[in-house]
Amino acid sequence: MARQEKKKDVVIVGLGWTGAIAGIELAQDGLEIVALERGPDQSTVPNFKYPNQIDELKYGVRLKMMQKLSQQTVTVRRNEDETARPYRKLGSFLPGNGVGGAGTHWNGLNWRPMPEELKLKSYVIENWGEDIIAEDMTIGDYPVSYDELEPYFMQFEKVAGISGYAGNLNGEIREGGNPFEGWRSEDFPMPPLPRTWDSQKFHDACIASGYHPFPAPAGIASTAYVNPYGMQMGPCNFCGFCERYGCYQYSKSSPQTTILDALKRKPNFSYRTHCEVLRVEMAEDGKTATGVTYFDEEAQEEVFQPADLVILSSYQLNNVHLMLVSGIGEPYDPATGKGVTGKNYAYQMNGGISMFFEDDNFNPFVGHGANGTCIDDFAINQIDFGEEGFIGGAYWRSGTFNGQPIRNMPLPKGTPAWGAGWKEGIGRWYGHAMSIGSHGSNLAYANNYLDLDPNYTDRHGRPLMRMTFDWHDNDLRMNQFMKSKMEPLAKSMNPDIMQVGFKGPGAHYDVRPYQTTHNTGGHIMSETPQEGVVNRYCQAWDKHNVFVMGAGNFVQNTQYNPTGLLGGLAYWTVQAIRTQYLPNPRPLV
């Protein structure tokens, strides 16, 4: 029988970005809150101390900060004719493990979606008609608009400490910023960081080609900064250890740097680590949750944590799995199109070009995760979908992220993989390579979804979650369009060697190489309970005291990294909880 804890007003499942936001905002209202985190505690001091943290083998290769697949994983297949097999070695995506979640080890790229992306189905129909939408494509509109979310994007950017330069300030288009972005009520909290040599070369080539380059919006401090919670950030020193690492310098936007130390000082907030939530428990009528049951790793026992309000804020894949095993929302059935939980799983469609210059030394050890110059000239709102034959878009970026010798040793094709020839190649080309990356949207389809696997269970006896996912022709055509536009730009830079890497027609998803940790969908927002799992306030349609945060709310994936939308929605949701739900607990409409 499970041990029972004292009842709390709020239980938060997962203490990453969204869990930390929910915790600090609701703690300010005097609620008694407990957060449950499956992994270990992680703080800048002592966990990220220099030089221990910049251990490439431990963190960059052996992935010390990531989810342990022996503890929780998914099974993967590309279509229903295949038998799904467990994801046994981290590759394609890297969910975090521990306090701070994936917000601890991310690169820091922080984008807002375009207004058109939040109303994608309507945008497409109004401009090209419904016939352009493929029969198996399940794109939709978010039940909330860019204008409604703009104050909350701004709030998150101030808390996270984002560096950049606004291209659309209250409707005024400013040279040097992104002219195609949605309007901003204020400029970025900090100015942009300086360019490295490769991003300068890319910037100059874009200007010569008539494009509109701008600095990447970065969750990396360019100067000293104090956020609204009184948390201090220090300017980045371009150490090149962002992705897969915690920041020892208090420079990278993360829950540790920007929220958690302030949250931990709240007397009405507590958190427990090494506590894996197994299911959300329901009242007899099934209409509300009574709390959660979790497994206490230290005590080796199940514990029931009663609460009036349950907030699911773990990683997207884990949120969906928890909802499926807890009976939140009707499971999605691709054969009938009915059901909602697990629907519209999406990922990201990327490509790029590597270039080698014998006479240019790029000093790749000087960089940071969100470094670079970008263009949005091929964004969703800049492409004629009817003429080009696809729906979607991408931004491009070039800049040095790290020069770590194990993970970042680009060499021309044909260089031996070991021995004297390999050493000769490194001596000739290390520091002489740069790249341009295309980061594109991935739309929603009827046969890309998440459900419970009939064959595999986890250590607690729960079915593993099954991922059915493959690339579709629409997204591959978009990727080839980006290739056709990027090649002339790269050639104009006169590299000695150029290597092109874009997925082509007929390509299939491969779970082995790293691509992005941008898993989205599965508990999508919707206007009605028949279309999605949560309403416009991220409240579960069928369990009114359950609110669900994170990228699982995305109706389809945008062309951008997800954190900006994820953070804005979190602040939007907690505002609805405190002003609408808590005074009168009920389904919000």
Side-chain angles (χ1 to χ4, degrees), residues 62-79:
R62 294 177 178 164
L63 306 173
K64 177 72 173 178
M65 302 185 107
M66 309 309 171
Q67 180 171 305
K68 306 298 181 273
L69 298 186
S70 60
Q71 190 172 24
Q72 184 167 11
T73 189
V74 296
T75 65
V76 183
R77 63 181 182 175
R78 291 173 293 196
N79 57 65

Side-chain angles (χ1 to χ4, degrees), residues 63 76 78 87-94 244 347 508-515:
L63 306 173
V76 183
R78 291 173 293 196
Y87 185 45
R88 297 187 186 275
K89 182 179 180 181
L90 288 167
S92 182
F93 45 87
L94 305 173
R244 307 189 185 189
Y347 195 39
H508 293 285
Y509 175 59
D510 187 341
V511 77
R512 294 170 296 177
Y514 181 72
Q515 290 155 76

Side-chain angles (χ1 to χ4, degrees), residues 43-83:
S43 298
T44 305
V45 178
N47 302 95
F48 306 155
K49 68 180 180 180
Y50 180 87
N52 301 32
Q53 182 62 199
I54 57 170
D55 183 333
E56 183 186 6
L57 189 60
K58 183 176 183 179
Y59 296 102
V61 177
R62 294 177 178 164
L63 306 173
K64 177 72 173 178
M65 302 185 107
M66 309 309 171
Q67 180 171 305
K68 306 298 181 273
L69 298 186
S70 60
Q71 190 172 24
Q72 184 167 11
T73 189
V74 296
T75 65
V76 183
R77 63 181 182 175
R78 291 173 293 196
N79 57 65
E80 293 176 346
D81 293 330
E82 296 182 346
T83 300

Side-chain angles (χ1 to χ4, degrees), residues 107-108 161-165 188 190-196 199-200 214-223 234-239 242 251-253 367-373:
N107 253 335
I162 307 301
S163 302
Y165 183 78
F188 286 89
M190 282 180 274
L193 292 105
R195 300 187 190 110
T196 49
S199 66
Q200 183 66 52
F214 58 92
I220 308 287
S222 61
T223 184
C236 176
N237 67 358
F238 283 67
C239 78
C242 284
S251 300
K252 183 170 71 172
S253 305
H368 62 82
N371 180 36
T373 295

Side-chain angles (χ1 to χ4, degrees), residues 32-335:
E32 288 291 327
I33 302 167
V34 62
L36 302 172
E37 171 56 51
R38 179 186 55 202
D41 206 353
Q42 300 181 119
S43 298
T44 305
V45 178
N47 302 95
F48 306 155
K49 68 180 180 180
Y50 180 87
N52 301 32
Q53 182 62 199
I54 57 170
D55 183 333
E56 183 186 6
L57 189 60
K58 183 176 183 179
Y59 296 102
V61 177
R62 294 177 178 164
L63 306 173
K64 177 72 173 178
M65 302 185 107
M66 309 309 171
Q67 180 171 305
K68 306 298 181 273
L69 298 186
S70 60
Q71 190 172 24
Q72 184 167 11
T73 189
V74 296
T75 65
V76 183
R77 63 181 182 175
R78 291 173 293 196
N79 57 65
E80 293 176 346
D81 293 330
E82 296 182 346
T83 300
R85 300 299 186 195
Y87 185 45
R88 297 187 186 275
K89 182 179 180 181
L90 288 167
S92 182
F93 45 87
L94 305 173
N97 188 52
V99 171
T104 303
H105 70 76
W106 74 314
N107 253 335
L109 284 157
N110 190 85
W111 294 86
R112 298 180 179 190
M114 288 186 158
E116 295 84 358
E117 291 182 296
L118 297 181
K119 301 294 181 183
L120 183 60
K121 186 174 183 179
S122 294
Y123 174 69
V124 170
I125 292 173
E126 288 168 9
N127 287 278
W128 297 279
E130 197 160 6
D131 290 346
I132 197 176
I133 302 174
E135 186 177 349
D136 63 348
M137 191 181 286
T138 53
I139 60 173
D141 291 347
Y142 285 70
V144 61
S145 69
Y146 181 92
D147 288 355
E148 290 176 297
L149 289 177
E150 199 284 331
Y152 304 97
F153 292 145
M154 196 71 246
Q155 185 177 5
F156 178 67
E157 289 164 7
K158 289 179 177 179
V159 168
I162 307 301
S163 302
Y165 183 78
N168 182 345
L169 191 57
N170 287 306
E172 176 194 352
I173 304 303
R174 304 198 304 170
E175 187 176 351
N178 181 1
F180 310 116
E181 68 178 351
W183 66 276
R184 294 174 176 273
S185 55
E186 301 178 51
D187 206 342
F188 286 89
M190 282 180 274
L193 292 105
R195 300 187 190 110
T196 49
W197 176 226
D198 51 355
S199 66
Q200 183 66 52
K201 284 177 73 74
F202 177 67
H203 173 275
D204 295 345
C206 288
I207 292 290
S209 298
Y211 298 142
H212 303 81
F214 58 92
I220 308 287
S222 61
T223 184
Y225 178 73
V226 180
N227 82 356
Y229 300 134
M231 300 291 286
Q232 301 179 37
M233 299 179 72
C236 176
N237 67 358
F238 283 67
C239 78
F241 286 84
C242 284
E243 185 183 65
R244 307 189 185 189
Y245 305 87
C247 181
Y248 62 87
Q249 180 102 343
Y250 295 90
S251 300
K252 183 170 71 172
S253 305
S254 69
Q256 285 88 347
T257 304
T258 63
I259 300 175
L260 287 173
D261 284 349
L263 175 56
K264 291 174 184 179
R265 291 195 289 269
K266 299 289 183 184
N268 52 330
F269 172 82
S270 62
Y271 68 104
R272 302 172 197 153
T273 57
H274 299 291
C275 292
E276 182 177 4
V277 175
L278 303 180
R279 58 191 172 272
V280 181
E281 304 290 358
M282 303 301 167
E284 288 186 11
D285 63 5
K287 294 181 180 180
T288 57
T290 58
V292 301
T293 295
Y294 67 90
F295 184 75
D296 185 327
E297 201 73 47
E298 185 176 346
Q300 288 290 295
E301 65 177 346
E302 289 191 8
V303 182
F304 174 60
Q305 176 59 64
D308 297 312
L309 182 64
V310 175
I311 296 177
L312 303 183
S313 56
S314 61
Y315 190 73
Q316 173 266 346
L317 293 171
N318 302 332
N319 260 0
V320 178
H321 183 237
L322 189 56
M323 296 171 81
L324 285 168
V325 298
S326 302
I328 300 174
E330 181 184 352
Y332 172 67
D333 182 352

